[in-house]
Amino acid sequence: MEKLPSIKALLGAVIAIFSLMVFGFCYQKFTKLEFRSDVSILGSYLRASSQIQIDSIIKYYQKPDEKQLEVIESVLETPLAIEVVPTIVYDGMTMESLSAKLNRSLKSTLSGYGEKFAHLSINYGVDPYVAVAIVLLETGCNSGVCSALTSQCNNVGGMKGSPSCGGGSYRRFSSLDEGIEAFIKNLSKNYYKKGLTTVEQIGKKYAESNTWSTKVNNYILKIKAN
């Protein structure tokens, strides 16, 4: 007479199979690999033995066949078609086109610094047309020859302070990069962030001349036309 498994052994087998199925479900969900649960283990157990064969339990993973591997390799080798949308930074222009436009107005010592003015103006929240227009008025670089203050002391905005440029009240900077950033940072901190955003508002604090704002606006028109 065939010996039937004990209730305790049977319960243990049921728990083991249930755990196997739950583990298989979780494994398949996170790895996206095919999981095979063999529910016939329990039947085999009841028919043949009072002990669960370990080989039946561990066979839960089915490796992909050659066709599946070919599909996977094909997908991995296919380049993704990603559409790159240009980022508009100012006046309908990208950073590159804005830099090029500013460069067309910057001459002499400041030639090629359009990208520097564009990046710093956008980063500091300053109108790049206004920033470059003020520089053109203060330095004379638009005419082709920059002032000595710019060419010798890297001061692009008529900024005062120390260290002194040649013993006067105007400030000297160690490089054009430093001078340009100091100028735009000053516009941001002492004008734009205080609500002085138009040329007229800036002019009342920036310059003593009554014609300063008019001249800056004229330079803005020239920059836009370039």
Side-chain angles (χ1 to χ4, degrees), residues 14-205:
V14 172
I15 293 174
I17 298 302
F18 179 78
S19 300
L20 177 62
M21 294 175 68
V22 172
F23 177 77
F25 174 80
C26 295
Y27 191 91
Q28 184 180 19
K29 182 177 180 62
F30 288 103
T31 64
K32 305 299 183 183
L33 296 173
E34 184 179 354
F35 181 89
R36 185 183 66 188
S37 60
D38 190 356
V39 295
S40 65
I41 295 175
L42 180 58
S44 299
Y45 168 81
L46 293 174
R47 289 192 303 271
S49 172
S50 62
Q51 295 183 348
I52 300 175
Q53 298 299 317
I54 191 64
D55 289 342
S56 298
I57 295 178
I58 63 175
K59 289 182 179 179
Y60 62 86
Y61 172 66
Q62 179 180 353
K63 294 183 179 179
D65 57 27
E66 292 184 1
K67 290 184 178 180
Q68 289 174 317
L69 288 175
E70 289 177 1
V71 172
I72 294 172
E73 291 174 355
S74 176
V75 171
L76 292 176
E77 292 175 358
T78 302
L80 296 176
I82 301 176
E83 182 181 0
V84 179
V85 179
T87 302
I88 303 302
V89 297
Y90 178 79
D91 199 23
M93 294 179 288
T94 63
M95 187 65 74
E96 183 179 1
S97 55
L98 174 61
S99 300
K101 177 175 278 292
L102 298 182
N103 267 330
R104 289 192 286 271
S105 294
L106 295 168
K107 311 295 181 181
S108 186
T109 307
L110 295 180
S111 179
Y113 278 86
E115 184 176 359
K116 186 75 175 181
F117 277 98
H119 277 278
L120 290 175
S121 295
I122 299 302
N123 289 341
Y124 281 107
V126 173
D127 187 321
Y129 288 164
V130 173
V132 172
I134 293 174
V135 167
L136 295 181
L137 176 61
E138 297 292 338
T139 65
C141 292
N142 187 55
S143 63
V145 180
C146 292
S147 64
L149 184 62
T150 300
S151 60
Q152 297 176 18
C153 295
N154 302 308
N155 191 325
V156 300
M159 297 177 65
K160 296 182 179 181
S162 59
S164 170
C165 176
S169 60
Y170 291 101
R171 183 177 173 181
R172 173 178 56 81
F173 294 95
S174 60
S175 67
L176 270 175
D177 286 341
E178 182 186 4
I180 293 170
E181 183 164 9
F183 163 68
I184 294 178
K185 188 175 181 180
N186 175 57
L187 280 180
S188 174
K189 178 181 179 181
N190 296 314
Y191 295 87
Y192 278 80
K193 289 185 177 180
K194 293 184 178 181
L196 306 177
T197 58
T198 69
V199 173
E200 289 71 24
Q201 291 171 332
I202 295 172
K204 291 178 181 179
K205 180 180 178 180

